[in-house]
Amino acid sequence: YSSIRIKPGAVGAINIDNSNSGSALFWFNGVDNLTIDGTLPGGYGPLTFRNPLSSNNYAVFHFFSNAQNDTLRNCVIQSNSGWCVVIANPSTSYGNKNFYFSGNTFSNVSNIAFPQMGIYNNGQSDSITITNNYFENIVLNGSTCGSIYSNAAASNWIVKNNYVYYSLPFTPANATNIYGIYIPFTANTCQISNNTIGFADTLQSSPAAFASSAAVTFTGITGSSAQYGTTIKKNVVDGFDFSTGTAGNQYAGSWNGITYLPFYDNCYVDSNRVGKTSGTSSVKVTSSIGESFATGFLIGNNSFSNGTYIRNNSIGSIEVIGSSPTIRSRFYAVNIYSGGAITMQNNIIGDSSTIGTPNSISVGNLTSSTYGQFAGINTELNVFPALTAANNVIRNCRARTNSDSAHSVG
């Protein structure tokens, strides 16, 4: 077909539900030139597409087998335990391509079960644009879950101006790995910009609340370098009250703002904000087991590139503590686990003002009997060539205990 269009034909909201057990609501097998427009002038819509089935193997919309030139906009897409949208199984290399998702809300059907994925890519895909969408409560207990999650090569993706938030308090009973935006395998180009991740609502009136004794982790953004340039720019990861039963891993804390994986040259992590530039405890991380460990940025995964630029970013208003006096506390604002030519320039760690908030970043407390450790820039590898650092500011940060084992380093 040269064009297929689905739109509301009546004034007011329209709900379309799936009652077929074990199936996606819509299967789009090689469908081209499709537009689903959920809201039209004059009060038509919105169209709400719902898959209430409690299975994490089925989607609301499933695009596959070289689906191309498809648009989904101004719709509400809801899932219980599954995927809102999946792009998978191209017939040829990068055969699924030219998708445009805009103005949609991805969320849960009820407050009993929640989606595992908002938009899920599981096959080589090309030229995917995801912009001006809302992702609400994309958290499935006991799983790896993400609002935007790519598990395969993503070529020429643009992810911008989206909002990821968590309107309900979550208490996962099992190990759960939560991602806002996860695109670790990129090709050609990739742009992740102007996205906001965190808080309980879009007004940013209260933090997203997670409380669990299980091994629950969170990462706001994961991106990687592409052959012709990756830009992670002007994103915000902020507004969390996060309690967990794990420290994370050796390099990334249980709560981590942004992970960037350098493989190619000339890539930029620029003008992002993790936490706030003033005030205290906009992000609070607490662990009940062993160590409370959080990271602002993680650069690398034992990888190497020439020309990685980390510049004009800010990290502040973060508190990391243990739930009892025997829990260690550690925060690395930037943790580097990568080789290659890395330049860090004009970043602010702590408070943006010389007369601003004392203890903008605070690690440990005076009831702790074990160590508290803060590092502005920490390197896990012998970076070669040497790391270039210029005009960075580390200010109003502290680590403390009730013993002599608190360490703060720039």
Side-chain angles (χ1 to χ4, degrees):
Y1 294 96
S2 61
S3 178
I4 305 170
R5 189 178 185 192
I6 299 173
K7 61 181 182 179
V11 173
I14 300 172
N15 297 329
I16 302 170
D17 288 10
N18 184 14
S19 59
N20 183 17
S21 177
S23 176
L25 178 57
F26 286 93
W27 294 88
F28 293 125
N29 183 351
V31 171
D32 298 340
N33 306 311
L34 168 71
T35 297
I36 301 177
D37 198 335
T39 305
L40 297 178
Y44 288 82
L47 291 177
T48 298
F49 300 92
R50 304 189 299 192
N51 193 340
L53 304 175
S54 294
S55 170
N56 62 351
N57 296 316
Y58 301 104
V60 179
F61 296 106
H62 191 132
F63 296 91
F64 64 107
S65 192
N66 287 13
Q68 299 179 8
N69 305 313
D70 297 325
T71 295
L72 179 63
R73 64 189 178 207
N74 302 326
C75 297
V76 179
I77 303 101
Q78 298 179 332
S79 173
N80 272 355
S81 305
W83 310 317
C84 294
V85 172
V86 60
I87 305 167
N89 305 113
S91 301
T92 59
S93 178
Y94 295 99
N96 294 326
K97 62 183 180 180
N98 298 330
F99 287 86
Y100 186 78
F101 302 98
S102 177
N104 304 290
T105 297
F106 300 85
S107 63
N108 48 298
V109 178
S110 67
N111 290 338
I112 299 174
F114 299 90
Q116 182 182 11
M117 303 288 180
I119 296 176
Y120 176 48
N121 176 60
N122 194 29
Q124 292 175 328
S125 61
D126 186 17
S127 299
I128 310 296
T129 297
I130 304 169
T131 181
N132 294 307
N133 300 283
Y134 294 90
F135 296 87
E136 180 183 11
N137 298 333
I138 312 297
V139 178
L140 181 63
N141 174 52
S143 74
T144 294
C145 47
S147 294
I148 300 170
Y149 192 100
S150 177
N151 202 34
S155 175
N156 303 312
W157 276 46
I158 298 174
V159 179
K160 64 179 183 179
N161 300 324
N162 300 286
Y163 209 117
V164 176
Y165 62 102
Y166 307 92
S167 63
L168 297 172
F170 283 91
T171 57
N174 305 104
T176 305
N177 300 312
I178 305 162
Y179 293 90
I181 298 170
Y182 181 84
I183 311 175
F185 313 110
T186 55
N188 292 315
T189 64
C190 181
Q191 175 189 339
I192 304 172
S193 63
N194 294 97
N195 302 284
T196 299
I197 301 171
F199 296 100
D201 54 46
T202 58
L203 298 177
Q204 304 183 12
S205 60
S206 59
F210 292 85
S212 176
S213 59
V216 177
T217 66
F218 173 85
T219 297
I221 296 172
T222 297
S224 67
S225 58
Q227 294 97 316
Y228 303 108
T230 291
T231 299
I232 301 176
K233 187 173 184 178
K234 293 185 177 180
N235 301 284
V236 174
V237 184
D238 187 15
F240 284 87
D241 187 350
F242 187 83
S243 297
T244 180
T246 181
N249 60 46
Q250 181 179 354
Y251 309 110
S254 59
W255 190 96
N256 177 53
I258 296 175
T259 292
Y260 173 70
L261 308 173
F263 300 104
Y264 296 100
D265 302 344
N266 300 319
C267 297
Y268 299 88
V269 181
D270 191 346
S271 303
N272 302 283
R273 174 165 62 84
V274 175
K276 283 187 169 55
T277 56
S278 62
T280 60
S281 305
S282 186
V283 173
K284 183 178 181 180
V285 180
T286 307
S287 179
S288 59
I289 297 177
E291 180 180 49
S292 187
F293 177 35
T295 40
F297 288 14
L298 172 64
I299 308 300
N301 185 17
N302 199 16
S303 50
F304 183 94
S305 76
N306 284 308
T308 298
Y309 298 90
I310 315 298
R311 63 189 189 186
N312 306 315
N313 302 285
S314 63
I315 304 169
S317 188
I318 294 172
E319 181 181 8
V320 181
I321 60 172
S323 62
S324 71
T326 59
I327 305 296
R328 303 182 301 273
S329 300
R330 179 163 52 117
F331 179 72
Y332 294 160
V334 179
N335 198 21
I336 299 174
Y337 183 43
S338 174
I342 299 173
T343 299
M344 291 198 61
Q345 188 175 20
N346 300 325
N347 301 286
I348 296 175
I349 298 170
D351 199 287
S352 60
S353 172
T354 56
I355 57 172
T357 307
N359 311 316
S360 172
I361 297 176
S362 182
V363 183
N365 56 46
L366 294 180
T367 66
S368 176
S369 60
T370 185
Y371 76 72
Q373 182 178 3
F374 163 80
I377 301 171
N378 183 73
T379 58
E380 300 283 353
L381 295 177
N382 291 324
V383 179
F384 181 83
L387 170 72
T388 299
N391 300 320
N392 300 288
V393 174
I394 302 173
R395 180 168 49 213
N396 293 340
C397 306
R398 72 178 178 186
R400 57 182 184 160
T401 70
N402 67 3
S403 64
D404 59 357
S405 54
H407 306 277
S408 292
V409 295

